[in-house]
């Protein structure tokens, strides 16, 4: 099984393809350099296969490469960052 995560700026989301099929996405609201992640969804036939974790990990890596920051309003993404503190520096905390 091969994963590919790509940003879809027109839809304000990062999408994960599994063997060329859309398996899920994580949606965001753009606020300048900050993205507010609001929802992560994995299609039922791809659940319990690590697709959600692969999606969030690749999304966080791409946000880091772009020099961006984020607000993890989505409970799945927030929990992932709590379990992987190496991504905590990406979280934008308003002053």
């Amino acid at each position: 099984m091969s994963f590919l995560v790509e940003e879809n700026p027109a839809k304000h989301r990062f999408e994960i393809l599994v063997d060329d099929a859309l398996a899920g996405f994580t949606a965001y609201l753009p606020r300048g350099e900050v993205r507010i992640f609001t929802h992560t969804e994995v299609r039922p036939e791809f659940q319990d296969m690590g697709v959600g974790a692969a999606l969030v990990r690749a999304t966080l890596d791409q946000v880091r490469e772009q020099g961006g920051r984020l607000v993890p309003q989505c409970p799945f993404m927030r929990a992932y960052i709590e379990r992987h503190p190496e991504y905590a520096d990406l979280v934008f905390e308003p002053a």
Side-chain angles (χ1 to χ4, degrees), residues 1-7 14-25 51 54-55 58-59 62:
M1 183 169 27
S2 66
F3 296 115
L4 174 66
V5 175
E6 294 182 315
E7 185 173 9
F14 285 79
E15 300 172 338
I16 187 165
L17 303 174
V18 176
D19 297 331
D20 298 323
L22 180 63
F25 64 88
V51 172
L55 167 61
T59 296
Q62 290 181 42

Side-chain angles (χ1 to χ4, degrees), residues 35-83:
R35 292 183 181 101
I36 301 170
F37 282 88
T38 57
H39 180 69
T40 300
E41 187 173 311
V42 174
R43 293 177 59 188
E45 62 268 30
F46 294 102
Q47 291 180 359
D48 300 319
M49 299 168 57
V51 172
L55 167 61
V56 170
R57 181 176 54 250
T59 296
L60 294 171
D61 288 342
Q62 290 181 42
V63 169
R64 174 171 279 143
E65 288 169 14
Q66 296 166 3
R69 304 285 298 281
L70 60 93
V71 176
Q73 286 184 349
C74 165
F76 186 86
M77 181 173 280
R78 187 170 46 249
Y80 186 91
I81 293 170
E82 288 171 4
R83 287 191 315 273

